[in-house]
Amino acid sequence: MTSSPEPVPQRIGDAERDQAATYLREALAEGRLEQAEFDERLDQALRARTMSDLEPLFADLPGPKPGQAVTPTFEAPPWQRTPAGPEPSSAQVAVPPAPDQSVAPAGLNRFLDVAAWAAWPVTIMLLFATSWHYWWLIFIPIVISSMAGNRHQRHRRRRDS
């Protein structure tokens, strides 16, 4: 009687071991693993030779697990997306972005940076030259610096999200 041979376990590579390590780090960051348990599982994951060596490491953890497809949850904001189709013709009407999603031209950011940088020394020199008679001039660089800082902060938030 001939028996069918059992399937030979497929060897995994560095990419699969790195993916397993990433999933273990995420489980640690979510508080699902303690540091000692994480260290032990990470050591086993880095020594794994087949997918069956990795499966016990994730048996008690919710997905995703190595070997499973991860459904993407991130969607790039509109200003970072590449157009999927042909460029719109000039006859098509462009819809302006919502107020909270407005994208400023890079030149405006650069202008605000230079204006904020130059407004402070100019204002201070004018204040001393006029013996602080025009004290209210101090508000000009304050407003310009505030506008530049807010733009940088919005840009950083968009980039990090």
Side-chain angles (χ1 to χ4, degrees):
M1 185 184 332
T2 61
S3 64
S4 63
E6 288 194 28
V8 178
Q10 295 294 308
R11 293 178 69 92
I12 59 172
D14 289 338
E16 289 85 2
R17 285 187 279 273
D18 289 344
Q19 183 183 37
T22 300
Y23 291 156
L24 287 171
R25 282 188 200 96
E26 289 174 6
L28 176 68
E30 293 171 353
R32 298 182 192 281
L33 294 174
E34 292 180 5
Q35 185 65 46
E37 190 176 13
F38 166 76
D39 292 338
E40 181 181 322
R41 290 187 190 201
L42 181 63
D43 186 47
Q44 291 174 1
L46 295 176
R47 286 188 280 121
R49 295 186 184 258
T50 64
M51 192 58 76
S52 62
D53 294 338
L54 293 177
E55 289 170 1
L57 303 177
F58 296 92
D60 60 340
L61 295 174
K65 298 175 177 150
Q68 292 179 341
V70 179
T71 55
T73 57
F74 172 76
E75 184 178 325
W79 59 88
Q80 291 180 344
R81 292 186 196 142
T82 55
E87 292 292 320
S89 67
S90 60
Q92 294 175 331
V93 178
V95 178
D100 61 321
Q101 296 177 349
S102 63
V103 179
L108 180 59
N109 291 337
R110 181 74 177 143
F111 172 77
L112 283 174
D113 289 342
V114 171
W117 178 82
W120 282 103
V122 168
T123 303
I124 291 171
M125 287 189 308
L126 282 173
L127 288 174
F128 281 109
T130 62
S131 301
W132 290 80
H133 183 62
Y134 299 104
W135 60 269
W136 50 268
L137 289 175
I138 196 71
F139 292 109
I140 294 172
I142 291 173
V143 170
I144 294 172
S145 297
S146 175
M147 290 168 50
N150 285 338
R151 296 193 78 69
H152 284 287
Q153 191 174 25
R154 270 189 265 136
H155 175 71
R156 204 172 306 122
R157 260 191 245 127
R158 271 191 234 133
R159 185 186 65 214
D160 293 342
S161 62

